[in-house]
């Protein structure tokens, strides 16, 4: 029997039978191979996600990979049988921000797979085919399930615009941080520093291309051209800003708790820092991620530590929030 996870309300979930929804015009039905769990899914389950950014009852799952099984009218039949990943933001395509390619800023309002629309913690997922990105035929679908967080970091890398030979740094050593190291390494930096809280992440950081690793309580340099912050705390944002030279470029991807103390505006102005933020990934970042993945420049699999069946959703949620340093990326397999 096909199954799906449904979160009825904060703290309440059930495993239910799943009937695939046949695709309408412009849609595709995807057989889900694997779906990742991140802190946002834990927020949905605990009821901590901001109002307007979740709609219950809900099948979660915004990080996924799969294979197209059926397409609706108006969708090329050649998609059937192809391995794919897909964008999460359900943009309107007609507002000025969508026309500018900034689909994560769609003025029609926030809609996203796994948060306000049914997600991939089910045997199948039906979604607009325009959101799909086709993978090479020999792509590893387990690795590809991590391309959604990779795409968010690709958006950060594009905004950072790190040039070959620049000195770059990453603050945070979770999934996003390790992808940031890989994207920045591909740009041939002169130096690539990783700053974290756990010494056990040094080996993986260096495997992905870091030339230096320090914990935040060690002495840190102050003259980097580009810093990408991925830790999601106010202190991490301040640490990231402190690493920059005058006129340096900072990209924030983490989301601290509401009301957190932020960066010092006087410091930003006096040092003329260039600050960017990322929330989700627009199409260009997704396309860039798929190209980089296909070229063999991303290694998602070393980040995966647990693969569980869909029925073990509550155990997976506990793992993600356990704080255990041995827990990396957790995948569910429908």
């Amino acid at each position: 029997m096909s199954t799906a996870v449904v979160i009825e309300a904060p703290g309440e979930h059930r495993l239910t039978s799943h009937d695939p929804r046949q695709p309408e015009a412009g849609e595709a039905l995807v057989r889900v191979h694997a779906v990742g769990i991140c802190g946002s899914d834990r927020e949905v389950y605990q009821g901590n996600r901001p109002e307007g950014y979740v709609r219950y009852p809900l099948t979660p799952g915004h990080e996924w990979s799969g294979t197209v099984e059926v397409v609706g009218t108006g969708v090329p039949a050649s998609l059937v049988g192809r391995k794919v990943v897909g964008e999460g933001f359900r943009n309107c395509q007609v507002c000025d921000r969508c026309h500018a390619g900034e689909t994560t800023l769609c003025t029609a309002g926030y809609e996203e797979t796994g948060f306000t629309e049914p997600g991939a913690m089910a045997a199948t997922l039906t979604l607009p085919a325009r959101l799909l990105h086709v993978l090479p035929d020999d792509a590893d679908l387990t690795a590809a399930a991590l391309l959604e967080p990779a795409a968010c970091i690709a958006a950060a890398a594009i905004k950072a615009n790190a040039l070959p030979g620049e000195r770059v740094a990453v603050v945070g050593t979770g999934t996003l941080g390790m992808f940031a190291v890989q994207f920045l390494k591909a740009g041939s930096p002169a130096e690539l520093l990783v700053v974290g809280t756990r010494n056990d992440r040094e080996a993986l950081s260096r495997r992905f291309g870091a030339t230096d690793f320090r914990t935040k309580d060690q002495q840190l340099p102050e003259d980097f051209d580009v810093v990408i912050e991925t830790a999601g705390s106010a202190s991490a944002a301040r640490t990231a800003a402190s690493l920059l030279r005058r006129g340096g470029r900072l990209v924030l991807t983490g989301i601290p708790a509401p009301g957190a103390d932020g960066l010092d505006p006087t410091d930003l102005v006096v040092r003329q820092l260039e600050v960017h933020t990322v929330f989700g990934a627009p199409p260009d970042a997704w396309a860039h991620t798929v190209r980089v993945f296909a070229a063999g420049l991303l290694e998602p699999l070393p980040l995966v530590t647990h693969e569980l069946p869909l029925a073990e959703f509550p155990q997976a949620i506990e793992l993600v929030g356990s704080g255990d340093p041995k827990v990396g990326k957790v995948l569910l397999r429908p």
Side-chain angles (χ1 to χ4, degrees):
M1 179 183 72
S2 295
T3 57
V5 171
V6 175
I7 299 176
E8 297 284 1
E12 300 177 18
H13 86 282
R14 60 188 173 91
L15 201 66
T16 185
S17 60
H18 172 74
D19 294 321
R21 181 175 71 78
Q22 293 304 304
E24 299 178 357
E27 293 184 323
L29 184 152
V30 176
R31 176 67 55 178
V32 178
H33 173 82
V35 53
I37 296 181
C38 80
S40 296
D41 298 301
R42 186 172 168 82
E43 287 179 353
V44 169
Y45 184 64
Q46 294 182 324
N48 298 327
R49 192 155 173 87
E51 185 178 355
Y53 289 87
V54 63
R55 186 180 301 131
Y56 301 101
L58 173 71
T59 292
H62 61 288
E63 305 176 3
W64 59 269
S65 64
T67 304
V68 177
E69 285 200 343
V70 186
V71 296
T73 58
V75 179
S78 59
L79 271 181
V80 175
R82 298 303 303 272
K83 296 177 178 179
V84 294
V85 289
E87 299 174 32
F89 281 72
R90 305 291 187 92
N91 51 84
C92 75
Q93 301 185 84
V94 297
C95 71
D96 63 338
R97 292 302 87 207
C98 284
H99 281 307
E102 298 176 336
T103 53
T104 60
L105 297 175
C106 177
T107 59
Y110 171 79
E111 297 288 343
E112 185 176 2
T113 299
F115 295 108
T116 63
E117 297 287 339
M121 289 188 194
T124 68
L125 173 65
T126 302
L127 74 167
R130 62 183 172 80
L131 299 178
L132 297 178
H133 290 261
V134 177
L135 302 170
D137 291 337
D138 62 352
D140 184 326
L141 281 177
T142 301
L146 277 69
L147 292 188
E148 191 277 341
C152 295
I153 291 301
I158 290 170
K159 289 187 175 184
N161 191 29
L163 302 176
E166 287 194 309
R167 303 178 72 239
V168 301
V170 175
V171 175
T173 59
T175 298
L176 295 179
M178 293 300 95
F179 275 130
V181 174
Q182 294 180 62
F183 272 106
L184 290 174
K185 175 60 177 177
S188 301
E191 183 178 344
L192 204 176
L193 168 69
V194 174
V195 179
T197 59
R198 293 164 36 191
N199 283 311
D200 62 302
R201 298 299 274 183
E202 179 173 1
L204 193 58
S205 298
R206 291 187 182 277
R207 170 176 174 170
F208 290 145
T211 60
D212 191 9
F213 180 94
R214 305 189 193 187
T215 56
K216 64 178 183 179
D217 56 349
Q218 292 178 299
Q219 184 174 355
L220 299 175
E222 301 176 347
D223 53 356
F224 280 79
D225 300 290
V226 169
V227 179
I228 295 179
E229 177 277 325
T230 67
S233 70
S235 63
R238 290 191 291 270
T239 295
S242 73
L243 293 170
L244 287 166
R245 63 166 172 81
R246 290 172 57 86
R249 306 187 296 284
L250 171 64
V251 186
L252 304 174
T253 69
I255 304 177
D261 291 334
L263 302 176
D264 180 356
T266 301
D267 180 58
L268 299 181
V269 173
V270 171
R271 291 204 290 141
Q272 300 180 60
L273 299 183
E274 185 178 319
V275 181
H276 299 272
T277 60
V278 168
F279 179 62
D284 63 339
W286 273 96
H288 181 52
T289 300
V290 170
R291 284 195 301 268
V292 173
F293 177 65
L297 298 175
L298 287 181
E299 274 192 277
L301 283 180
L303 301 174
V304 178
T305 59
H306 294 76
E307 295 184 54
L308 304 174
L310 202 61
E312 295 186 20
F313 168 75
Q315 294 92 322
I317 287 291
E318 288 184 11
L319 281 170
V320 170
S322 68
D324 186 339
K326 295 181 180 179
V327 177
K329 196 65 185 177
V330 178
L331 298 182
L332 293 177
R333 300 291 292 271

